[in-house]
Amino acid sequence: MRIKTLRLQLRFLAPLALVFAAVAYVSLPLIDNLMLRWAARDLALRGTLVANAMSDSVARSLSEGDLAGLTALFERTATDERLLGMALCGTDGALLSQTARLPESVDCALVQTPAETPGLLSLHSGAVQVGRHPIVVEGVPLADLLVVHDMSILQRRSADTQGYLLLLLVGLGALMSLITMVVAQLSWRGWVAGARAILRGEGLIRPFDRPVPELAPLAEELRERLRELEDGYRRLQVADAPWDPARLRALLNTQLRGDQVIVVANREPYIHERTDAGVRVRRPASGLVTAVEPVMRACSGTWIAHGSGSADRDAVDAHDRVSVPPGQPEYTLRRVWLTPEEEQGYYYGFANEGLWPLCHVAHVRPVFRESDWRAYCEVNARFADAVVAEAKSDDPIVLVQDYHFALLPAMVRERLPRATIITFWHIPWPNPESFGICPWREALVEGLLGSTILGFHTPTHGRNFIETVDRFVEARIEHEHGIVRHAGHDTLVANYPISIRWPAQQETAGWTPVAEARANVRQAHGLSAQHRILLGVDRFDYTKGILERLHAFERLLAKYPEWVGEVSLLQVAAPTRSELDEYQDFQHRIHRVTARINARHGRPGYVPVILLAQHHEPHQLLDLYRAADVCLVTSLHDGMNLVCKEFVAARDDEQGVLVLSRFAGAARELAEALIVNPYHVEECADALHQALGMSPDAQRERMASLRMVVREHNVYRWAGRMLSDTARLRLRSRIEARLKES
Ligand code: ADQ
């Protein structure tokens, strides 16, 4: 018998045994006492019967003075084994007659003793009982007859009875224990197996592991209900109170209290760089950093990233860690070092020449090199090592960011099976046909299926992923609930639209007023105060639709010549991945087209396209957003796009028009923008014309509605919804683990 079963049985038997011992201890003396009393009363009655039967003979013998005959009568009567003897005492206490075996301790003095029980005088040494029975003839008391019974027989019987009773109780106890144990075992095993099966999604299992096909529909229904409850819970999460830093912190401090959070991202939130003026700390222009940092600040976790700054190595301790933000440390940044070859293969090669174009439908061919793939695998393994090294328990929460780490979730899962791994894919996921051209498609999908939760910006990206799983790997899919079961492990595929931090009131109070920002920006670029500005802000990337934007602007000037000289396109493009040919070619092309448009429509004092191919600080971008009449986001394909949300957040004057590509994830939420197909030059030119001619009231109406959406759907909601789901799944897996243990 297994130890666990033995423990389980003892759990039932021990209390039962205790109860029976207590019952026996209390009840046996009580029962014994009761039986002795009954027996004594019986003997007393018996004595009375004897006395009554003999009273006539006694009266006659007394009247005749025949005491010898009386003694002979007593001797004959006292032959019974329980009757020890008899004595006749006069009313004055004198002994008139007695049997030979009368115990010495019995004499006529007892007649004077008051009796507790009528007719019962006393018990001597617990061994004899003396009954006193008056002989009364025609109402006149003549004498007292003492009848002495042997009590030792009763005591022997009492001891026998106790023995039998004890045996009976023990037998009963054993029988009841056995029945209880069997019933408890059956129901316990049944419930545990049933609950496990439901949680595993396999159906109920009968005790002793025999399947019960007739219960399968019930199990299915139970599972269904459980999922519906969870879906309802998630919907409620969407509808309730607004998300802000306090609510996010409260979530981390309650539902995820004490749980360690580790972020894995290629990009670090703080970069130490060597400059002529000494070491400078720079913050990268990244939507991802903006989104994830509040989580880190709230939970004092660890952020693992590639140390890419020229002074990064000087800033870390012996374990490659540095506390950030500098000056007011709130969490730890752990840097991972890559060789130039590794960076080339993993980052520029596989991630940005392979996966980036593969996932964006932007008509740029992905390049897949074997050496890049090897570097990608190795770097993923290096980061997985760092996660394991930084983990303080066997079940940390690991937030994996983006397409640089598709293999890492399964690598971490293998070494920390109890970890909760949340992977967020910041870029789109294409349909299975497009994804299928990747030579390592199965490995990438299986790597991601190591995640507990896999998040995308939109349901379409999630659906594409599930269809890709369906096409290329062996997995069970619950389409309705977005759950994929692969290698004995569930992954929840869900959508969490990312966003920006909505600015606090004290922050907006410090902003340059809109009129001033408009004037400053126009002055900086030599434009008149009334000059209209169309604004584009992007990384200098071919997916952002910068070329299509130029085409649309060119068409606007041609189709609606009244705008020539009145409006300029101010395009800010932050250099990015410039090491790659594709990016260099693209950037050159944009410069060429810009020059062509300017040559065609420009004139002294009027530059139609102002191209600022450089990084801008956040306050500079803020002034540009506030100065613009129209913001143009024309991505050919974009996971979400944060620029359009930044523009909306910057416009507290409720003016300005957003023109937004339908192929950006943001188009799902920002329906009040002018939604365009960036490939359709004519449609885009018309939208620009409409935007420039829009009345201030119409602008206010649209902008107020857009602001409401972005304020509510902020970055804290993105992180909060993901972490709420994390907390729910961790609770569930803890219950599951407990069930397994029992
Ligand atoms: P990106 O492709 O980088 O992000 P986006 O979401 O627009 O795209 O974020 C760009 C960020 O860089 C914005 O915060 C913007 O302000 C900043 N930026 C752009 N140009 C700049 C410049 N010249 N100087 C300084 N900063 C500049 C990826 C996905 C997106 C997804 C985000 C977040 O491609 O679809 O929205 O991740 O998940």
Side-chain angles (χ1 to χ4, degrees):
M1 192 185 293
R2 287 182 309 152
I3 299 282
K4 206 196 278 184
T5 319
L6 194 67
R7 248 195 300 144
L8 186 71
Q9 290 176 356
L10 278 176
R11 203 182 289 172
F12 292 109
L13 286 180
L16 266 173
L18 271 176
V19 168
F20 274 103
V23 168
Y25 181 77
V26 173
S27 64
L28 281 179
L30 276 178
I31 292 172
D32 189 36
N33 202 346
L34 194 70
M35 292 191 74
L36 271 174
R37 277 162 174 251
W38 285 349
R41 204 176 288 269
D42 274 357
L43 289 181
L45 283 172
R46 199 164 173 263
T48 307
L49 206 65
V50 170
N52 287 344
M54 296 178 75
S55 59
D56 284 350
S57 307
V58 170
R60 202 170 40 248
S61 297
L62 282 177
S63 65
E64 290 170 3
D66 181 14
L67 290 177
L70 201 56
T71 306
L73 176 65
F74 285 173
E75 291 289 0
R76 273 199 309 277
T77 308
T79 50
D80 184 290
E81 64 166 333
R82 279 171 295 175
L83 203 57
L84 277 182
M86 299 169 79
L88 188 68
C89 305
T91 48
D92 55 354
L95 178 67
L96 302 175
S97 172
Q98 72 165 80
T99 55
R101 283 200 307 140
L102 188 74
E104 278 182 16
S105 55
V106 178
D107 60 29
C108 287
L110 282 171
V111 172
Q112 311 302 324
T113 315
E116 272 179 37
T117 311
L120 189 64
L121 280 173
S122 64
L123 295 173
H124 288 260
S125 318
V128 296
Q129 176 189 292
V130 182
R132 171 196 161 197
H133 305 282
I135 305 289
V136 181
V137 176
E138 291 171 358
V140 181
L142 296 179
D144 285 297
L145 182 65
L146 299 185
V147 181
V148 183
H149 277 105
D150 183 1
M151 290 297 286
S152 64
I153 294 174
L154 283 180
Q155 283 174 344
R156 272 199 307 280
R157 280 187 189 165
S158 167
D160 287 351
T161 313
Q162 276 196 27
Y164 288 131
L165 262 175
L166 195 66
L167 268 177
L168 184 72
L169 275 174
V170 169
L172 255 175
L175 186 67
M176 282 179 71
S177 302
L178 191 71
I179 293 169
T180 311
M181 199 184 70
V182 170
V183 170
Q185 278 271 12
L186 290 183
S187 47
W188 181 257
R189 279 198 204 180
W191 277 106
V192 170
R196 270 188 204 158
I198 289 168
L199 288 167
R200 277 199 308 266
E202 287 171 1
L204 279 175
I205 295 175
R206 198 166 25 178
F208 309 118
D209 299 327
R210 274 175 300 168
V212 188
E214 59 276 19
L215 288 182
L218 176 66
E220 193 49 49
E221 196 173 323
L222 272 172
R223 263 189 21 242
E224 198 63 25
R225 291 277 165 278
L226 203 65
R227 297 257 194 260
E228 274 171 20
L229 277 174
E230 289 185 348
D231 286 351
Y233 170 82
R234 297 183 68 215
R235 276 196 292 277
L236 269 178
Q237 291 281 312
V238 174
D240 61 10
W243 280 97
D244 57 17
R247 185 167 170 202
L248 185 63
R249 253 195 309 276
L251 169 74
L252 285 158
N253 292 336
T254 52
Q255 293 182 52
L256 295 170
R257 189 183 178 81
D259 292 331
Q260 187 194 9
V261 179
I262 300 173
V263 165
V264 185
N266 175 68
R267 187 78 59 91
E268 50 184 348
Y270 295 89
I271 305 172
H272 288 80
E273 269 173 350
R274 210 167 286 122
T275 66
D276 294 341
V279 172
R280 197 173 75 102
V281 180
R282 189 168 64 82
R283 305 224 47 204
S286 156
L288 183 155
V289 172
T290 317
V292 180
E293 209 195 19
V295 180
M296 282 287 96
R297 286 183 177 231
C299 67
S300 309
T302 302
W303 183 311
I304 303 174
H306 169 212
S308 58
S310 53
D312 273 356
R313 283 180 192 265
D314 304 337
V316 296
D317 65 12
H319 304 284
D320 300 325
R321 297 183 190 132
V322 55
S323 295
V324 288
Q328 38 180 312
E330 287 186 284
Y331 64 96
T332 304
L333 171 58
R334 158 79 192 267
R335 286 173 169 149
V336 174
W337 314 113
L338 302 181
T339 63
E341 294 74 36
E342 279 174 335
E343 191 180 359
Q344 177 59 43
Y346 137 83
Y347 179 74
Y348 290 109
F350 194 75
N352 286 317
E353 280 187 288
L355 286 179
W356 178 267
L358 178 75
C359 291
H360 288 91
V361 181
H363 313 289
V364 170
R365 290 190 184 88
V367 180
F368 293 115
R369 299 180 198 90
E370 189 76 30
S371 56
D372 291 347
W373 170 246
R374 276 201 303 274
Y376 188 82
C377 296
E378 281 162 20
V379 172
N380 269 248
R382 291 265 302 284
F383 274 80
D385 289 345
V387 171
V388 175
E390 292 297 325
K392 294 185 183 118
S393 68
D394 66 345
D395 65 345
I397 297 168
V398 186
L399 304 178
V400 182
Q401 303 300 315
D402 231 350
Y403 59 99
H404 310 96
F405 299 111
L407 303 177
L408 182 136
M411 291 172 170
V412 173
R413 167 80 48 225
E414 203 185 322
R415 293 163 71 186
L416 296 173
R418 295 187 57 228
T420 307
I421 305 170
I422 320 301
T423 304
F424 194 80
W425 195 259
H426 289 258
I427 62 176
W429 190 278
N431 62 36
E433 287 74 26
S434 303
F435 193 80
I437 65 171
C438 176
W440 301 285
R441 59 199 183 190
E442 289 89 359
L444 291 167
V445 169
E446 284 176 339
L448 287 170
L449 289 177
S451 314
T452 315
I453 297 177
L454 176 58
F456 293 97
H457 292 300
T458 70
T460 311
H461 302 156
R463 260 196 309 277
N464 283 347
F465 175 79
I466 288 180
E467 281 170 20
T468 308
V469 171
D470 206 10
R471 186 76 61 85
F472 299 118
V473 299
E474 199 72 37
R476 210 183 69 195
I477 299 171
E478 282 182 42
H479 287 276
E480 204 182 329
H481 306 291
I483 290 177
V484 178
R485 170 163 275 256
H486 173 73
H489 161 76
D490 280 356
T491 301
L492 170 69
V493 179
N495 63 300
Y496 306 95
I498 206 168
S499 192
I500 55 160
R501 192 175 56 83
W502 187 256
Q505 220 165 8
Q506 56 269 44
E507 198 177 334
T508 58
W511 285 356
T512 312
V514 168
E516 210 178 310
R518 283 181 74 89
N520 291 347
V521 168
R522 281 164 179 75
Q523 199 183 14
H525 296 286
L527 306 172
S528 71
Q530 290 74 41
H531 199 82
R532 314 295 287 274
I533 292 180
L534 306 178
L535 176 69
V537 175
D538 305 88
R539 282 187 305 101
F540 217 151
D541 193 292
Y542 54 78
T543 62
K544 300 294 179 185
I546 300 173
L547 184 63
E548 289 68 18
R549 200 173 306 170
L550 290 174
H551 289 156
F553 180 61
E554 191 175 23
R555 179 70 188 131
L556 170 82
L557 297 182
K559 190 173 179 180
Y560 304 100
E562 65 268 31
W563 293 116
V564 176
E566 299 294 316
V567 59
S568 292
L569 170 61
L570 182 52
Q571 177 64 53
V572 178
T576 179
R577 305 169 195 168
S578 310
E579 288 79 352
L580 300 179
D581 289 347
E582 198 68 51
Y583 281 77
Q584 284 176 17
D585 292 349
F586 174 72
Q587 290 164 13
H588 288 147
R589 189 166 177 200
I590 296 298
H591 281 285
R592 278 202 312 277
V593 175
T594 299
R596 194 195 69 215
I597 296 172
N598 286 344
R600 183 174 164 197
H601 295 285
R603 57 185 184 224
Y606 175 53
V607 181
V609 180
I610 303 167
L611 181 61
L612 304 174
Q614 63 207 47
H615 181 87
H616 280 54
E617 291 305 319
H619 71 273
Q620 295 174 302
L621 288 183
L622 178 69
D623 282 356
L624 287 173
Y625 289 139
R626 284 164 78 73
D629 295 285
V630 179
C631 181
L632 268 168
V633 173
T634 53
S635 313
L636 304 181
H637 205 186
D638 219 335
M640 173 55 68
N641 190 286
L642 295 180
V643 169
C644 52
K645 296 189 173 183
E646 289 169 358
F647 172 65
V648 168
R651 298 314 296 258
D652 55 358
D653 62 336
E654 297 186 339
Q655 291 296 291
V657 182
L658 175 64
V659 176
L660 177 59
S661 163
R662 58 197 273 199
F663 305 123
R668 276 193 90 237
E669 294 172 288
L670 305 182
E672 294 304 316
L674 296 182
I675 306 291
V676 295
N677 172 357
Y679 292 100
H680 197 315
V681 178
E682 207 69 15
E683 181 187 307
C684 287
D686 289 343
L688 292 182
H689 179 62
Q690 184 191 351
L692 287 166
M694 195 179 285
S695 72
D697 281 350
Q699 289 184 41
R700 179 163 296 112
E701 209 173 295
R702 284 174 184 266
M703 185 53 82
S705 154
L706 290 171
R707 285 173 63 77
M708 210 160 70
V709 173
V710 179
R711 184 170 45 232
E712 273 176 27
H713 294 197
N714 58 42
V715 70
Y716 301 108
R717 178 176 177 268
W718 172 75
R721 286 183 56 229
M722 236 174 343
L723 291 171
S724 296
D725 284 349
T726 304
R728 182 173 55 81
L729 294 180
R730 278 170 82 83
L731 182 68
R732 188 182 165 143
S733 71
R734 277 177 188 155
I735 294 173
E736 233 174 339
R738 250 176 247 155
L739 278 172
K740 268 185 200 144
E741 272 167 22
S742 47

